[in-house]
Amino acid sequence: MKKTFFIAMAMCGLLFFSCKENKEEKDVAQAETVQSTDFDYNVETFGDVKVLRYQIPGWDKLTLKEQKLVYYLTQAGLAGRDIMWDQNYRHNLTIRKALENIYTNYKGDKTTEEWKNFEIYLKRVWFSNGIHHHYSNDKLKPDFSSEYLKQLLTDTNTTLEGEAFDVIFNDKDSKKVNQAKGVDNVLQSAVNFYGPDVTNKDVENFYSKMKSPDPNKPLSFGLNSKLVKENGQLKELVYKSGGLYGSAIDKIVEWLEKAQEVAENKAQGDALGLLIKYYKTGDLQTWDDYNVAWTGATEGNIDYINSFIEVYNDPLGYRGSYETIIQINDFDMSEKMSVISGNAQWFEDNSPLMDEHKKKNVVGVTYKVVNVAGEAGDSSPSTPIGVNLPNANWIRAAVGSKSVSLGNIIDSYNNAGNTGRLKEFVNDSTELELEEKYGQLADKLHTALHEVIGHASGQLNPGVGETKETLKTYASTLEEGRADLVGLYYLYSPKLQELGLVDDWKKVGMAAYDGYIRNGLMTQLIRLNLGDDVEEAHMRNRQWVSAWVFEKGKADNVIEKITRDGKTYYNINDYEKLHELFGQLLRETQRIKSEGDYAAVEHLVETYGVKVDQNLHKEILERNKQFTSAPYSGFVNPVLVPKMDDNGEIESFTIEQPKTFAEQMLFYAKNYSNLPAIN
């Protein structure tokens, strides 16, 4: 944000729950702010997606050894790219390879509407790493006929048949992740983490029998495996060398071994060694050992995220999706923002949590602004803007965590321009002025507080199991809402001004509250089709937080619902009382997490976070029709190209920017297809 500082937004997703969320999730109705630059950040737009580019600030300041480290880590990430595709859906690789073969070999008429629709469909599949939408989880619908696709297959001598062909056009496997209440979430989810006949009950029974050697350090059972039935018996297929995804993992290991040879220091090298061992063995104790070592390796210019991490794509929250992010430290900005992590204990001590739920010693919280040098898997093309890891609660409590904000990604978003929806949805000129003057700073500070303080805050009661066991399908949205509430509570606090982060804490807090309520109750509905329930974890948490405080504040008219000229607006009348309500809800969400109160989280989420007022939703969609900008954004990655000397050793690098989205996707398909089609 800014303090005047500009702090980069860290995005949260699951965090740790490793938190991650996309920037556009938080500002679907921001004012347009475009900075002049010679760099062309925009690549292309198709469907509901805008593809951007990003630069790598600080690259030229790295030594050749450091550049080699970045390159090897980037190659390791791309080597596992196909894993994410197969995890997302069992037919994804078969479908992708067939569509790519058509795209590169078709010699027919490419001016027809059907061919253009085929191109758009393929690009949407590329962007989502599969045939289900990257955000809504709904299956992508092609705007061409099955007969046309059959003709393209024939014309290019391409094979795509059976269920892999039919599923493109029918209603089977319509939802990648189904979080609905009252259904068997595993059976109803198309994500490829489970065999076709595995049920919720199977999963719960299977893992209930597993016990960690040290109950105070629970292992992440299920994180790196697929659960299937063989002859009626449940069995894990572990992701490792010689196991499931072994051919891709062996390539990852090759590049990680090269990276280890040029590690910046012993701590970094030791952590890489443990990651290599984990990939070779699939051992979950090694995974924890690696996370402890990685969390403690804080020195150096380069860092990375690599492996099976976020569990959002698993309806029951066990299995991690493959992802990588390679990072170059922005030392100047990181130093400015260290004030937040440096005061983590103060924030914990002064929170509205019950005393027994507060951490007596918040340890090891590091916060850095970094510049991305490459991404793959679940972080590409749709990327987070920040991450907080590791996920294990016991490691976060005993060792700490790393929070990073992806500075160059945020810069690209800002420089590419935002949509002009803000004036349509603000209630009055005062709200507009606050958003235009303080909105971006408030948003960035909220992200930093969410990641650094929010996910590190609070503790489980003794004997209470991990949240994926106690809170089940509601674990992710509860954690994200809890971290949001920590940020919201402290955004309206003079402490921020005392720390030099803002010049006027009240106005920054007011802008933050306006924006959160406006998004949580109205503008995020732009992403849903009329009639849909809210299912994505972050969208749910923003709605249940906003709807809860709206309802609880009705008696005092804290937030007023206004209808003017047939349009709905929400106006905050009492920011002080809203601050108190956020504190009350934070206290309750921490209690739910600390005690593992499933009944309470189910009531909270289902009552306030799932159902949508259909009349309001219809109105919001109508009001949004005037804005043509795509609601989702993602990125192509810069390509690091090594130059070799006469001895075959790397002597330098150049950075090339892809001209088109298709160019990069086809380059990846040619050079990093390390898995066969696995069903």
Side-chain angles (χ1 to χ4, degrees), residues 449-469:
L449 290 166
H450 171 120
E451 297 291 349
V452 181
I453 306 302
H455 284 300
S457 178
Q459 61 185 2
L460 301 180
N461 287 358
V464 174
E466 292 294 293
T467 53
K468 67 183 178 184
E469 301 164 353

Side-chain angles (χ1 to χ4, degrees), residues 28-253:
V28 292
Q30 273 192 348
E32 187 166 345
T33 54
V34 184
Q35 302 175 20
S36 61
T37 175
D38 293 332
F39 183 77
D40 186 2
Y41 289 90
N42 292 284
V43 179
E44 61 182 293
T45 298
F46 50 85
D48 58 358
V49 166
K50 178 167 61 176
V51 179
L52 308 175
R53 299 182 181 90
Y54 62 89
Q55 297 173 291
I56 311 178
W59 172 261
D60 292 338
K61 296 180 181 179
L62 299 179
T63 65
L64 178 59
K65 181 182 177 182
E66 289 170 334
Q67 290 179 347
K68 287 180 180 180
L69 176 60
V70 171
Y71 174 69
Y72 295 147
L73 289 170
T74 301
Q75 295 301 300
L78 290 169
R81 170 181 180 255
D82 278 1
I83 295 175
M84 185 71 242
W85 281 79
D86 190 72
Q87 286 182 315
N88 276 341
Y89 184 54
R90 64 188 181 278
H91 292 306
N92 273 340
L93 288 174
T94 300
I95 293 171
R96 189 194 81 198
K97 290 174 181 180
L99 298 182
E100 288 173 343
N101 194 63
I102 292 171
Y103 187 79
T104 54
N105 292 292
Y106 182 61
K107 306 300 183 184
D109 188 353
K110 296 183 179 181
T111 64
T112 67
E113 199 66 25
E114 281 194 304
W115 175 260
K116 292 177 182 177
N117 289 336
F118 170 81
E119 285 186 305
I120 291 173
Y121 179 75
L122 174 55
K123 290 177 181 179
R124 296 184 74 194
V125 170
W126 277 332
F127 190 87
S128 296
N129 293 317
I131 66 170
H132 295 86
H133 194 277
H134 75 286
Y135 195 87
S136 73
N137 288 311
D138 292 330
K139 192 161 62 173
L140 300 170
K141 296 180 179 179
D143 290 324
F144 53 85
S145 66
S146 59
E147 289 73 19
Y148 182 69
L149 181 56
K150 288 178 181 177
Q151 187 60 52
L152 293 178
L153 292 167
T154 299
D155 292 346
T156 56
N157 195 28
T158 304
T159 301
L160 181 63
E161 55 193 8
E163 188 178 63
F165 177 92
D166 295 339
V167 77
I168 295 174
F169 301 97
N170 64 25
D171 294 329
K172 185 178 176 61
D173 296 331
S174 61
K175 201 80 171 176
K176 184 175 79 172
V177 184
N178 190 326
Q179 293 280 25
K181 179 183 177 183
V183 304
D184 193 302
N185 306 101
V186 171
L187 280 177
Q188 296 300 317
S189 296
V191 68
N192 194 25
F193 287 141
Y194 299 98
D197 50 355
V198 177
T199 67
N200 281 19
K201 196 69 173 176
D202 288 331
V203 179
E204 292 168 5
N205 288 341
F206 186 82
Y207 290 107
S208 68
K209 299 173 185 176
M210 291 190 172
K211 305 299 179 185
S212 299
D214 184 346
N216 295 317
K217 299 178 179 180
L219 299 177
S220 301
F221 292 123
L223 184 69
N224 64 334
S225 67
K226 179 177 180 179
L227 188 64
V228 300
K229 281 184 180 178
E230 291 186 0
N231 300 319
Q233 298 298 312
L234 290 167
K235 175 183 178 180
E236 284 188 316
L237 304 178
V238 179
Y239 312 153
K240 64 175 182 175
S241 296
L244 188 57
Y245 303 139
S247 59
I249 288 172
D250 288 342
K251 292 291 186 181
I252 296 171
V253 167

Side-chain angles (χ1 to χ4, degrees), residues 303-319:
D303 208 347
Y304 62 94
I305 293 165
N306 180 304
S307 199
F308 311 105
I309 300 173
E310 306 293 355
V311 298
Y312 293 112
N313 284 324
D314 183 348
L316 298 188
Y318 283 88
R319 311 192 127 66

Side-chain angles (χ1 to χ4, degrees), residues 472-483:
K472 302 179 181 179
T473 59
Y474 302 109
S476 290
T477 190
L478 191 281
E479 175 64 13
E480 291 311 312
R482 190 187 67 85

Side-chain angles (χ1 to χ4, degrees), residues 62 64 178 180 191 197 209 237 292 342 345 347 424 434 442 465 526 530 590 616 653:
L62 299 179
L64 178 59
N178 190 326
V191 68
D197 50 355
K209 299 173 185 176
L237 304 178
V292 170
Q345 191 65 57
F347 287 111
E424 175 62 38
L434 281 170
I526 292 166
L530 189 63
Q590 183 61 59
L616 176 61
F653 290 90

Side-chain angles (χ1 to χ4, degrees), residues 398-419:
V399 182
S401 62
K402 289 180 179 178
S403 289
V404 295
S405 180
L406 310 186
N408 58 335
I409 296 296
I410 295 163
D411 287 345
S412 293
Y413 276 122
N414 290 338
N415 288 329
N418 297 314
T419 62

